[in-house]
Amino acid sequence: MAATTPPKVVFEHEGVFIHSSPDESEDQDLISGFLRIVEKEGETLVEYKPLEDADPSNMLCACKDSSSVVEWTQSSEENPHRPVDHQLSYETEWDMINAVSFRRKVHANGDGGSNHVNEQNKRAFSFNVCDLRSVTVKCEGWSYLTFRLKDGTALPAIHFHQGGSKAFLDSLRKSVQINESPDDESVLIVSTYSKAFSQSFENLLDDTNYGFVQKFKKDPYTTTLGGFSKVTNYLFDAFRAPELECQQRPAEEVADVLGELIPGLEINQQEEPGFEVITRLDLGPRPEMQRTGPVTMEEWAKYQDLEGRMTNLPHLKDAIFKGGLCHAVRKEAWKFLLGYFPWSSTHEERKLLQKRKTDEYFRMKLQWKSVSEEQERRNSRLRDYRSLIEKDVNRTDRNNKFYEGLDNPGLILLHDILMTYCMYDFDLGYVQGMSDLLSPILFVMENEVDAFWCFVSFMDEMHENFEEQMQGMKTQLIQLSTLLRLLDLAFWNYLEAQDSGYLYFCFRWLLIRFKRELHFQDVLRLWEVMWTRLPCQNFHLLVCCAILDSEKQKIMDRKYGFNEILKHINELSMKLDIEEILSKSESICMQIKSCKDLPHSVSEILGLNTVSEPSAALETSEYGILESPQTSPRSSHRQDHVVSNGHSHLKETTQNGCKVAFIS
């Protein structure tokens, strides 16, 4: 776990030198030392320490948020407290936190170089790879490297008199993306992908994410789900040359490249006869729907019989859909909504189930807990899963009191559950974004075992979102496009004209179910409403439609193009009213249901009239949905693709065997 796992040295090379003078004078000192790459606290650091330097009073440290290199100075006994921005060490000889404090060195007359290092004091420095802008590689009989940080600081050149520079750069490439500068082949441009994708679009535009597309093509699995989930944040940095922030590719070129990167999302590429032609439909008026108050503890208890079985499920689910749940009810109710507890189970049956599931959980947890360091060195997949989990856990909902601070028990549980899930589903393992799905569940359950099994149930539904082929994401984007064309063909045509018809800007919404778009408590409300499976199948797609419906006028009136649409959608984060969205989403659903000539493809997407005769295993709600509450979404996979007859005005979609064409 990020707060307790000992830092790991991933590269170490002895006999690396700093020259005391930049010129080649014969009497200059050669300062020999260690160069290391270390993973600790969910971050990757590069550290240099002279072999004979035992005095930490002059260690240079490029802090994460500092605007320049700062100096570590000896603490006074009267003020021995730790610095706020201290870097935790990974072994005793590197440990300075009990002896130093953080302050910016003041230099007289602007001359600060001699204070950083002199002929007597040996140089040591440390920086986070996220702060590294470039590495200059030179050769003069041996190789030497110069690190330049994003704040403009150039650190002392590191000379590899005994070789090792290539091995160092190869190890560095495992943590960052390195590309040769088009202007100077001796300069390597560094970009990283470790920032939480909750950062704003504007801030991310200041970073150089050069090489994103190249990385995408090389490893679409990791980059798609770890990076393309941030598409609304990182998109344009991916096409921006280093040091040339003002020069961007045209929007249509960006859209074309994205279409190439995600096979299966290329709409209208193949002509095929025999489709159903659908003209613009009159959906009729959209009804006003009202939300109600959340289900209280007393109301929940009324739906249980004496033995604990839940009764009158259609009415109960309707109440949850209409108003959500009081927080006190969630710990129990979510177990039913997620399928961990069967609705028909008694108190005693649930106790036996929890006992069995507890044993099963800890058997799986023991599997990864008992793996020795030597074993893990030979298991690259487990090692990669652990590393990614530690990084993500360290930055998941850290502003929430349940997860804030170091050595937080919530972080330990978050880490352990995700590691155990890798044992439960080793093929999928861990993919970035999964920690966002677990965090609210653990927050509600406050119990490791219950949270794990509820998370397993949620992942059964979300599994395809994180698979390598991204079939779930492809399907949802196509389905969303189909629904939007039905609801507002003019708006969809506008988006299409702006190269936004693929709705890439909704990718993050769908990937982690609006987790990064809403306030934490609103996420809890939205998820429990969606877990009722009311008032239709794929209700989350109508939530997307409701948000876009609220923003379409602004987008069209202001004539937003590709860039502006992405920026605008990204800026909606934390500004959405969940109750208003849910009300409008339900209204849209009722409006669609009232349409007499509803396209079959839309009926398939929303699960309307898909069952001709009800069976005893199905339940009917007031919305007319026939459902089996324990059916796993992974038991039935929808395969969708889109084709075209080659004419720009005719859009054809094939979904579940039904071909539909939209005339625009």
Side-chain angles (χ1 to χ4, degrees):
M1 162 27 228
T4 59
T5 302
K8 179 167 52 177
V9 179
V10 297
F11 173 86
E12 182 176 44
H13 189 69
E14 184 179 348
V16 182
F17 295 85
I18 289 180
H19 293 190
S20 62
S21 174
D23 56 32
E24 297 301 316
S25 57
E26 294 183 359
D27 59 346
Q28 72 171 329
D29 292 332
L30 300 182
I31 304 168
S32 178
F34 285 98
L35 184 65
R36 291 170 172 172
I37 300 178
V38 183
E39 291 181 354
K40 57 181 178 179
E41 291 298 305
E43 304 290 350
T44 302
L45 305 177
V46 174
E47 297 182 333
Y48 175 81
K49 184 177 189 296
L51 288 173
E52 300 176 359
D53 186 9
D55 179 12
S57 62
N58 284 307
M59 179 174 181
L60 299 178
C61 178
C63 292
K64 183 175 181 181
D65 298 320
S66 67
S67 59
S68 63
V69 175
V70 294
E71 185 170 357
W72 288 90
T73 57
Q74 195 72 27
S75 294
S76 64
E77 294 183 1
E78 293 79 11
N79 188 24
H81 63 275
R82 292 182 180 183
V84 175
D85 294 283
H86 70 266
Q87 298 282 354
L88 296 178
S89 65
Y90 54 89
E91 55 184 71
T92 305
E93 66 176 286
W94 288 68
D95 193 54
M96 302 188 306
I97 59 176
N98 294 323
V100 299
S101 63
F102 176 83
R103 70 179 177 84
R104 189 171 303 280
K105 190 73 174 179
V106 179
H107 303 295
N109 302 321
D111 181 14
S114 61
N115 287 308
H116 285 162
V117 65
N118 54 44
E119 294 181 358
Q120 303 299 324
N121 293 327
K122 308 300 187 288
R123 305 186 187 189
F125 61 78
S126 170
F127 61 84
N128 192 311
V129 294
C130 294
D131 298 320
L132 182 61
R133 177 178 292 278
S134 67
V135 181
T136 301
V137 183
K138 298 286 187 180
C139 185
E140 48 181 48
W142 62 84
S143 297
Y144 66 94
L145 309 180
T146 303
F147 303 109
R148 184 172 294 276
L149 306 182
K150 290 181 179 179
D151 62 9
T153 301
L155 296 175
I158 299 295
H159 295 256
F160 292 81
H161 289 227
Q162 302 169 13
S165 61
K166 183 179 183 299
F168 169 78
L169 291 174
D170 288 343
S171 294
L172 188 63
R173 284 187 175 93
K174 297 177 181 178
S175 302
V176 294
Q177 183 74 15
I178 298 178
N179 296 277
E180 187 176 290
S181 170
D183 302 320
D184 185 348
E185 63 181 13
S186 69
V187 177
L188 302 177
I189 303 300
V190 178
S191 57
T192 63
Y193 304 93
S194 63
K195 294 185 178 181
F197 54 80
S198 59
Q199 287 181 269
S200 69
F201 186 94
E202 295 92 335
N203 289 339
L204 287 168
L205 284 176
D206 292 333
D207 297 326
T208 301
N209 291 285
Y210 180 77
F212 179 88
V213 174
Q214 292 89 328
K215 186 177 180 183
F216 196 113
K217 292 178 177 177
K218 181 179 179 182
D219 186 4
Y221 175 59
T222 302
T223 310
T224 296
L225 299 172
F228 195 68
S229 62
K230 315 166 198 179
V231 63
T232 55
N233 297 351
Y234 290 149
L235 189 55
F236 302 110
D237 287 342
F239 301 95
R240 185 177 60 203
E243 309 300 333
L244 297 176
E245 283 85 352
C246 296
Q247 299 182 12
Q248 296 182 359
R249 293 190 182 187
E252 61 272 14
E253 184 177 350
V254 176
D256 289 342
V257 174
L258 282 174
E260 295 172 3
L261 293 178
I262 307 183
L265 286 183
E266 299 88 345
I267 300 177
N268 312 318
Q269 285 193 344
Q270 177 182 351
E271 181 176 354
E272 184 177 337
F275 49 78
E276 172 191 3
V277 177
I278 298 175
T279 57
R280 187 188 301 270
L281 295 177
D282 182 8
L283 296 177
R286 183 176 296 173
E288 291 289 332
M289 307 303 296
Q290 300 297 322
R291 303 283 298 162
T292 62
V295 175
T296 64
M297 204 64 157
E298 293 76 16
E299 291 170 330
W300 173 263
K302 293 178 182 178
Y303 289 96
Q304 286 189 350
D305 65 17
L306 294 178
E307 293 184 331
R309 299 181 185 87
M310 303 305 298
T311 62
N312 198 2
L313 296 185
H315 191 274
L316 172 58
K317 290 184 180 181
D318 288 339
I320 296 173
F321 174 79
K322 283 288 192 180
L325 296 160
C326 286
H327 190 70
V329 184
R330 285 179 172 138
K331 185 177 294 188
E332 182 176 3
W334 279 25
K335 297 169 188 173
F336 290 96
L337 289 170
L338 285 166
Y340 175 34
F341 284 173
W343 293 96
S344 59
S345 61
T346 64
H347 291 304
E348 291 303 317
E349 289 170 341
R350 293 197 286 273
K351 287 181 182 179
L352 292 174
L353 174 66
Q354 283 183 300
K355 184 178 185 302
R356 187 174 73 252
K357 289 295 188 180
T358 298
D359 292 342
E360 186 177 350
Y361 173 78
F362 283 106
R363 280 197 300 270
M364 289 187 290
K365 183 174 182 178
L366 184 61
Q367 292 173 2
W368 65 267
K369 279 283 192 180
S370 60
V371 173
S372 66
E373 290 185 8
E374 184 178 354
Q375 286 177 297
E376 190 167 321
R377 280 198 295 269
R378 296 190 295 269
N379 191 332
S380 60
R381 289 187 68 186
L382 180 61
R383 192 168 61 246
D384 291 344
Y385 289 156
R386 185 193 296 272
S387 176
L388 192 54
I389 287 171
E390 289 177 353
K391 289 179 181 178
D392 279 5
V393 164
N394 199 46
R395 61 195 181 201
T396 299
D397 292 324
R398 297 306 300 275
N399 58 340
N400 187 309
K401 289 186 178 180
F402 192 80
Y403 298 109
E404 69 181 2
L406 295 174
D407 301 317
N408 187 303
L411 293 177
I412 297 173
L413 293 179
L414 199 64
H415 169 273
D416 288 1
I417 292 171
L418 291 172
M419 283 297 299
T420 305
Y421 186 82
C422 291
M423 300 296 103
Y424 174 83
D425 188 347
F426 202 83
D427 286 341
L428 179 64
Y430 178 79
V431 180
Q432 285 182 310
M434 289 167 57
S435 62
D436 278 291
L437 300 185
L438 172 60
S439 171
I441 294 175
L442 178 58
F443 172 81
V444 168
M445 293 298 146
E446 298 180 307
N447 176 279
E448 182 176 4
V449 176
D450 290 343
F452 173 81
W453 291 111
C454 287
F455 176 65
V456 165
S457 296
F458 195 19
M459 280 302 300
D460 283 347
E461 176 183 345
M462 303 292 289
H463 199 278
E464 283 193 336
N465 283 16
F466 297 94
E467 291 173 358
E468 183 172 0
Q469 298 304 316
M470 297 185 297
Q471 187 56 50
M473 295 306 301
K474 296 173 186 176
T475 298
Q476 290 174 88
L477 286 171
I478 292 170
Q479 291 175 334
L480 178 57
S481 180
T482 300
L483 293 173
L484 190 60
R485 279 180 284 178
L486 173 72
L487 292 167
D488 198 324
L489 188 57
F491 181 48
W492 187 88
N493 284 333
Y494 178 86
L495 294 176
E496 180 79 353
Q498 307 305 320
D499 298 296
S500 300
Y502 293 162
L503 307 180
Y504 290 125
F505 49 80
C506 298
F507 198 98
R508 191 175 69 185
W509 296 0
L510 300 173
L511 183 74
I512 51 176
R513 288 296 192 270
F514 306 94
K515 170 62 167 55
R516 292 282 176 170
E517 318 312 317
L518 302 169
H519 292 289
F520 195 84
Q521 290 298 325
D522 290 343
V523 172
L524 307 184
R525 176 56 44 81
L526 174 65
W527 285 7
E528 64 199 14
V529 166
M530 292 193 300
W531 291 336
T532 65
R533 309 292 187 264
L534 298 177
C536 63
Q537 186 175 283
N538 288 317
F539 181 67
H540 67 285
L541 298 180
L542 296 184
V543 173
C544 294
C545 291
I547 298 174
L548 293 176
D549 183 75
S550 298
E551 301 300 321
K552 66 180 181 182
Q553 208 60 47
K554 184 179 297 182
I555 291 172
M556 296 172 72
D557 289 348
R558 298 181 181 180
K559 295 181 172 57
Y560 282 164
F562 186 85
N563 298 20
E564 292 82 8
I565 292 172
L566 282 170
K567 184 174 184 291
H568 178 74
I569 294 299
N570 188 82
E571 289 175 340
L572 295 177
S573 179
M574 303 301 157
K575 298 177 183 177
L576 300 171
D577 185 325
I578 186 59
E579 294 299 330
E580 179 182 324
I581 291 170
L582 288 173
S583 179
K584 178 173 284 192
S585 303
E586 184 183 3
S587 297
I588 292 174
C589 181
M590 296 300 106
Q591 182 186 30
I592 292 176
K593 284 185 176 183
S594 67
C595 180
K596 295 180 180 179
D597 300 317
L598 194 65
H600 181 69
S601 62
V602 175
S603 296
E604 288 287 325
I605 292 170
L606 300 181
L608 307 178
N609 305 319
T610 57
V611 181
S612 57
E613 294 183 7
S615 66
L618 298 176
E619 303 168 357
T620 305
S621 77
E622 71 175 54
Y623 297 98
I625 301 299
L626 299 176
E627 59 176 10
S628 175
Q630 302 306 323
T631 299
S632 170
R634 292 177 66 185
S635 64
S636 175
H637 299 285
R638 180 181 297 107
Q639 302 295 327
D640 297 336
H641 61 280
V642 178
V643 297
S644 171
N645 71 347
H647 299 292
S648 61
H649 65 284
L650 194 57
K651 317 291 184 180
E652 180 193 350
T653 305
T654 301
Q655 292 166 324
N656 298 308
C658 176
K659 289 172 237 174
V660 180
F662 290 81
I663 295 180
S664 56

